[in-house]
Amino acid sequence: MDTHGGNIYRIERDYNIKKEDILDFSSNINPLGLPPELKQTLIKNIDKIKNYPDPDYADLTQNIARYNNIDPETIVPGNGAAELIYLLPRVFKPQRALIIAPCFSEYALSLKHTGTEINYFKLNEEDFKINLKKILKEISKNYDLIYICSPNNPTGTFTNINIVQELLFCAQNKNTLFIIDESFIEFIEGWRERSSMKLAPAYHNLFIIRSFTKFFAIPGLRLGYCINFNREFIRKIKSIKEPWTVNILADLSSKILLNNSVYAENSLALIKKEKQFLIGSLKKIEQLKTYDSETNFILVKILCGTKSYELKEKLLKQNILIRDASNFAYLDDSFIRLAVKDRKSNRMLIHCIKKIFTRTP
Amino acid sequence: MDTHGGNIYRIERDYNIKKEDILDFSSNINPLGLPPELKQTLIKNIDKIKNYPDPDYADLTQNIARYNNIDPETIVPGNGAAELIYLLPRVFKPQRALIIAPCFSEYALSLKHTGTEINYFKLNEEDFKINLKKILKEISKNYDLIYICSPNNPTGTFTNINIVQELLFCAQNKNTLFIIDESFIEFIEGWRERSSMKLAPAYHNLFIIRSFTKFFAIPGLRLGYCINFNREFIRKIKSIKEPWTVNILADLSSKILLNNSVYAENSLALIKKEKQFLIGSLKKIEQLKTYDSETNFILVKILCGTKSYELKEKLLKQNILIRDASNFAYLDDSFIRLAVKDRKSNRMLIHCIKKIFTRTP
């Protein structure tokens, strides 16, 4: 069982399928692929690896600041969102944390290293949406740190800004820090209006984590960032953060990526169309319950008794890799997660799933 | 004052000198520059950034294992040596550490985050060599962790394997862990015979840290590793290490770098010749005490009262950047550190230093 999607290396080793031949629905990467301008920029600048990265990451934070229309002083760049997910608990040493789950497994893993007591707020399997009244009651119980992943991996749900604001207000009164992982935010139509970034100037307990990995299709390059409006918190994070964690190619890619509105528009159009196709097709398969998604991946529950790992194994015979979602908290081996890909791949996936369920009585 | 050398970004911002125009003697990078084969490999494989790195880094550890003729299971790769320097104290939570100093400042910085009591063993300014009798006495005082940088940054001294073995033996009897930072080992002639790697199978308390940054001239790419022969220690490190810290371009560069014996030989030949030239020239300047060096940088003490920051400022007027070494423990503002570069640059440096000291009465 893999901890994460996208481990095509293990599939190559264990199943003898060449990495290049795997149709990977297990990692939630933009199906539009690398922005071509990025490739050109990296090739042109490849010589720069002979220099250390700027330890202050001045250009990088400036580019991120402009993209989000915020002060560079509120930004801490990281070696992927993962560095920041692990860094924040080390800095703030929470004694008790609350994780709204099912969600990305790394929050809990990072808290194990700080000896934090981990509590979960369970989302209802019916639609995985937050029940405001229940969660407000839970938040009032004096946590040091609360996590929300929004859009939420693996459920595809999004927590609206008005709900986030109520939670933040309640948390602030309790001196509770609040991490919102917006790694998938740019896949949402109208995301600038819907992001919790707007709340950051007023709520200094809010940390927003962002990733370049998913939307810009560069998981191998490693780039993410964190935003918080409390100067003292930022100073503390920077004093504990290791030097040079972002490599120089990731650093210099920010300019070309964050100014590429054509790529962003094309991505959203592609995702919209393909998500509609994929969800529409999946909903016609009676052995599956397909959840709606606000982002670029879809959670699916198998209703007919076939286990997630069985379906994964069967699809691998067709070189298709899906995410067995059974190791997410509160999910079981009836859940799988599927990335939205291009039409040809999506058709292939639907075709193979249908075939499997037609054969299985 | 910069914490480290190589911060050409701050020089560009503060002194209005273009990064590209700086003659950088402050960072200890191989003057041979990027291996040309590496550039070609990176350009050919640039598309791979669309994939996550292998979370097990199987090929990377295999390549490092072959290079050192050891078992891949003894290796933990990292995002530069820096990741490992910060990771080890987090994993082993030492209460009392001993640092043989002056040395690289990041050991002490990393220990501040773990609340470790930091003790220093001071090397004598005469030659910065270890006095075996004195240090054995010090080691017997029950430390949890001891650091040696060898070749030592910034002194250029090297601790011979027979001395290391005595220290390791004594430390092992006291259950003391031992970190040897060999980030500059490949700059030493006959380094394979002289590295402490040979001792690792017998001394399970030994952690060797290595870096690709310096010898392969790739500080922007970020790649290092750590070696230890205790399976339980390695398991513990891996359980606490964050996922995907090494980017995929650094990962795939290992093969081409570690199999490049021509580059290695040419580097050693160049360093030998240029170090001889630079040390020879510096020793003729009576205002300086120039220390001998076993590696690719040279420690120099200014004897005439000019301060290290004054000399740095004066040389910057000629676009030459040197390392003001005053912030190393037990060094003061009479110390500078100089990287060995190509003949043209070295001549320029000597010319400018001579001119400065001729003018100063």
Side-chain angles (χ1 to χ4, degrees):
Chain A
M1 155 82 68
D2 281 335
T3 323
H4 297 283
N7 195 342
I8 52 177
Y9 309 91
R10 194 168 289 175
I11 299 296
E12 183 172 88
R13 288 193 292 267
D14 295 354
Y15 293 85
N16 210 14
I17 306 171
K18 273 194 189 167
K19 280 195 294 290
E20 297 71 26
D21 296 340
I22 298 170
L23 212 51
D24 182 11
F25 285 85
S26 78
S27 68
N28 303 322
I29 302 302
N30 190 334
L32 204 57
L34 289 184
E37 300 85 348
L38 174 66
K39 252 175 81 167
Q40 291 317 311
T41 303
L42 292 178
I43 289 171
K44 219 180 78 192
N45 287 286
I46 206 81
D47 256 339
K48 295 220 169 119
I49 60 172
K50 70 173 194 280
N51 296 321
Y52 275 92
D54 176 4
D56 302 311
Y57 293 107
D59 285 350
L60 175 58
T61 47
Q62 196 59 256
N63 294 334
I64 295 169
R66 237 179 262 128
Y67 181 65
N68 290 293
N69 198 19
I70 53 176
D71 183 343
E73 298 296 318
T74 65
I75 298 163
V76 181
N79 185 28
E83 182 188 1
L84 303 158
I85 290 171
Y86 278 81
L87 180 60
L88 291 178
R90 283 213 304 275
V91 174
F92 296 102
K93 299 182 172 62
Q95 295 201 300
R96 294 180 73 227
L98 180 69
I99 299 176
I100 299 175
C103 68
F104 189 45
S105 57
E106 294 294 320
Y107 315 141
L109 286 172
S110 75
L111 292 171
K112 277 183 187 158
H113 305 335
T114 47
T116 305
E117 179 195 310
I118 302 171
N119 302 272
Y120 287 99
F121 179 85
K122 186 185 171 181
L123 296 169
N124 196 311
E125 189 184 305
E126 199 196 317
D127 59 6
F128 293 109
K129 287 196 176 143
I130 285 177
N131 178 309
L132 185 59
K133 209 174 133 189
K134 274 192 191 161
I135 196 165
L136 283 176
K137 198 176 150 197
E138 189 63 37
I139 288 182
S140 69
K141 287 183 191 163
N142 290 321
Y143 291 103
D144 300 304
L145 180 58
I146 297 173
Y147 290 84
I148 289 192
C149 185
S150 179
N152 189 28
N153 174 10
T155 65
T157 49
F158 180 73
T159 306
N160 283 322
I161 191 168
N162 55 331
I163 291 183
V164 172
Q165 187 165 16
E166 292 216 44
L167 305 186
L168 277 173
F169 182 78
C170 176
Q172 198 173 47
N173 286 337
K174 291 275 173 188
N175 282 320
T176 304
L177 302 181
F178 211 100
I179 292 177
I180 301 193
D181 182 350
E182 290 196 345
S183 288
F184 292 96
I185 190 80
E186 284 122 316
F187 287 107
I188 289 201
E189 275 185 277
W191 66 271
R192 286 189 179 277
E193 292 310 306
R194 302 179 70 193
S195 161
S196 293
M197 190 66 77
K198 277 185 188 172
L199 303 172
Y203 294 93
H204 288 194
N205 58 334
L206 171 60
F207 297 81
I208 297 177
I209 291 177
R210 293 272 184 88
S211 169
F212 280 67
T213 298
K214 284 82 178 180
F215 191 68
F216 298 109
I218 52 164
L221 200 52
R222 317 306 301 133
L223 186 57
Y225 56 99
C226 155
I227 282 168
N228 174 267
F229 271 67
N230 182 321
R231 271 166 192 268
E232 188 48 35
F233 286 169
I234 292 289
R235 194 201 55 73
K236 212 170 157 184
I237 296 170
K238 285 185 175 170
S239 78
I240 288 183
K241 189 182 181 327
E242 295 155 33
W244 312 297
T245 56
V246 176
N247 70 80
I248 206 162
L249 297 176
D251 180 343
L252 65 85
S253 75
S254 64
K255 194 176 169 186
I256 201 87
L257 293 174
L258 299 179
N259 286 308
N260 199 333
S261 58
V262 176
Y263 177 82
E265 281 162 29
N266 290 345
S267 299
L268 282 173
L270 177 67
I271 294 286
K272 187 178 177 178
K273 202 176 65 174
E274 289 309 315
K275 186 164 60 180
Q276 215 163 23
F277 170 77
L278 203 50
I279 290 186
S281 307
L282 288 164
K283 283 196 169 173
K284 286 185 199 142
I285 301 173
E286 61 179 18
Q287 289 90 342
L288 303 178
K289 172 178 177 177
T290 300
Y291 290 86
D292 284 320
S293 166
E294 299 236 31
T295 182
N296 66 319
F297 51 83
I298 301 162
L299 187 69
V300 176
K301 186 178 165 77
I302 309 167
L303 303 172
C304 61
T306 300
K307 305 293 185 196
S308 49
Y309 59 84
E310 290 168 348
L311 185 56
K312 181 182 166 186
E313 291 285 328
K314 283 178 183 172
L315 286 167
L316 269 174
K317 291 190 177 135
Q318 312 299 322
N319 290 5
I320 291 174
L321 177 61
I322 62 168
R323 175 71 156 92
D324 169 0
S326 60
N327 66 338
F328 284 97
Y330 301 122
L331 297 189
D332 60 24
D333 60 8
S334 65
F335 284 94
I336 59 167
R337 193 193 64 197
L338 303 168
V340 174
K341 291 178 75 76
D342 61 286
R343 182 61 56 99
K344 198 180 150 200
S345 306
N346 294 337
R347 269 195 209 288
M348 179 72 182
L349 172 71
I350 294 295
H351 172 78
C352 290
I353 291 183
K354 273 186 182 164
K355 234 169 108 180
I356 287 166
F357 284 123
T358 315
R359 261 191 262 131
T360 318
Chain B
M1 156 84 66
D2 282 337
T3 322
H4 296 284
N7 195 343
I8 50 176
Y9 309 91
R10 195 167 289 174
I11 298 297
E12 183 172 88
R13 288 192 292 268
D14 296 353
Y15 294 84
N16 209 16
I17 307 172
K18 272 194 190 166
K19 281 196 295 287
E20 296 72 23
D21 295 339
I22 298 170
L23 211 53
D24 183 12
F25 285 86
S26 78
S27 69
N28 304 324
I29 301 303
N30 190 336
L32 204 58
L34 289 183
E37 301 84 347
L38 174 65
K39 253 175 80 167
Q40 291 317 311
T41 303
L42 292 179
I43 289 171
K44 218 181 78 191
N45 286 287
I46 206 79
D47 255 340
K48 295 221 169 118
I49 60 171
K50 69 174 195 279
N51 296 322
Y52 274 92
D54 176 3
D56 301 311
Y57 293 106
D59 285 350
L60 174 58
T61 47
Q62 196 59 255
N63 293 335
I64 296 169
R66 239 179 261 126
Y67 181 65
N68 290 292
N69 198 19
I70 52 175
D71 183 343
E73 298 295 318
T74 65
I75 298 163
V76 180
N79 185 30
E83 181 187 1
L84 303 159
I85 290 172
Y86 279 82
L87 181 59
L88 292 178
R90 284 213 304 275
V91 174
F92 295 103
K93 300 182 174 60
Q95 295 202 299
R96 294 180 74 227
L98 180 69
I99 300 176
I100 299 174
C103 69
F104 189 45
S105 57
E106 294 293 322
Y107 315 140
L109 286 171
S110 74
L111 291 171
K112 278 184 186 155
H113 304 335
T114 45
T116 305
E117 179 196 311
I118 302 171
N119 303 271
Y120 288 99
F121 180 85
K122 185 185 171 182
L123 296 169
N124 195 312
E125 190 185 303
E126 198 197 317
D127 59 5
F128 293 110
K129 287 196 176 145
I130 286 177
N131 178 310
L132 185 60
K133 210 174 134 190
K134 275 193 189 160
I135 197 167
L136 283 176
K137 199 177 151 197
E138 188 63 38
I139 289 181
S140 69
K141 287 183 190 161
N142 289 321
Y143 291 103
D144 300 305
L145 180 58
I146 297 173
Y147 290 83
I148 290 193
C149 185
S150 180
N152 188 28
N153 174 11
T155 64
T157 48
F158 179 74
T159 306
N160 283 322
I161 192 166
N162 55 330
I163 291 184
V164 172
Q165 187 164 18
E166 290 214 46
L167 305 186
L168 277 172
F169 182 78
C170 176
Q172 198 173 48
N173 286 337
K174 292 274 174 186
N175 281 320
T176 304
L177 303 181
F178 211 100
I179 293 177
I180 301 193
D181 182 349
E182 290 196 343
S183 288
F184 293 95
I185 190 79
E186 285 123 317
F187 287 106
I188 290 202
E189 275 185 275
W191 67 271
R192 286 190 178 277
E193 292 310 306
R194 302 179 69 193
S195 161
S196 294
M197 190 66 77
K198 276 185 188 172
L199 303 172
Y203 295 93
H204 287 195
N205 59 334
L206 172 60
F207 296 82
I208 296 176
I209 291 177
R210 293 271 184 90
S211 169
F212 281 67
T213 298
K214 284 83 179 180
F215 191 70
F216 298 108
I218 52 165
L221 200 52
R222 317 304 303 132
L223 186 57
Y225 56 99
C226 155
I227 283 167
N228 173 267
F229 271 68
N230 182 321
R231 273 167 191 268
E232 186 48 34
F233 286 168
I234 292 287
R235 193 201 55 71
K236 214 171 156 184
I237 296 170
K238 286 186 174 170
S239 78
I240 287 182
K241 191 183 181 323
E242 295 156 33
W244 310 299
T245 56
V246 176
N247 71 79
I248 206 163
L249 297 177
D251 180 344
L252 65 84
S253 74
S254 63
K255 194 176 168 186
I256 201 85
L257 293 174
L258 300 179
N259 286 309
N260 199 334
S261 58
V262 176
Y263 177 83
E265 281 163 29
N266 290 346
S267 300
L268 282 174
L270 177 67
I271 294 285
K272 188 179 177 178
K273 202 176 63 173
E274 290 309 316
K275 186 164 59 180
Q276 216 163 19
F277 170 76
L278 204 50
I279 290 186
S281 308
L282 288 165
K283 284 197 170 173
K284 286 185 199 143
I285 302 173
E286 60 179 20
Q287 289 90 342
L288 304 178
K289 172 179 176 175
T290 299
Y291 290 85
D292 284 319
S293 166
E294 298 237 30
T295 181
N296 65 320
F297 50 83
I298 301 162
L299 187 69
V300 176
K301 185 177 167 77
I302 309 167
L303 303 172
C304 61
T306 301
K307 305 293 185 196
S308 50
Y309 60 84
E310 289 168 348
L311 185 57
K312 181 182 166 186
E313 291 286 328
K314 283 178 184 172
L315 286 168
L316 269 174
K317 289 190 179 134
Q318 313 298 323
N319 289 5
I320 291 175
L321 176 62
I322 62 167
R323 174 73 155 92
D324 169 1
S326 61
N327 68 338
F328 284 97
Y330 300 122
L331 296 190
D332 60 25
D333 58 11
S334 64
F335 284 93
I336 59 166
R337 194 193 63 197
L338 304 169
V340 174
K341 292 179 73 75
D342 60 288
R343 181 60 56 99
K344 199 181 150 199
S345 307
N346 295 337
R347 268 195 208 288
M348 179 74 181
L349 173 71
I350 294 294
H351 172 76
C352 291
I353 291 182
K354 273 186 182 165
K355 235 170 106 180
I356 288 167
F357 285 123
T358 314
R359 259 190 265 133
T360 316

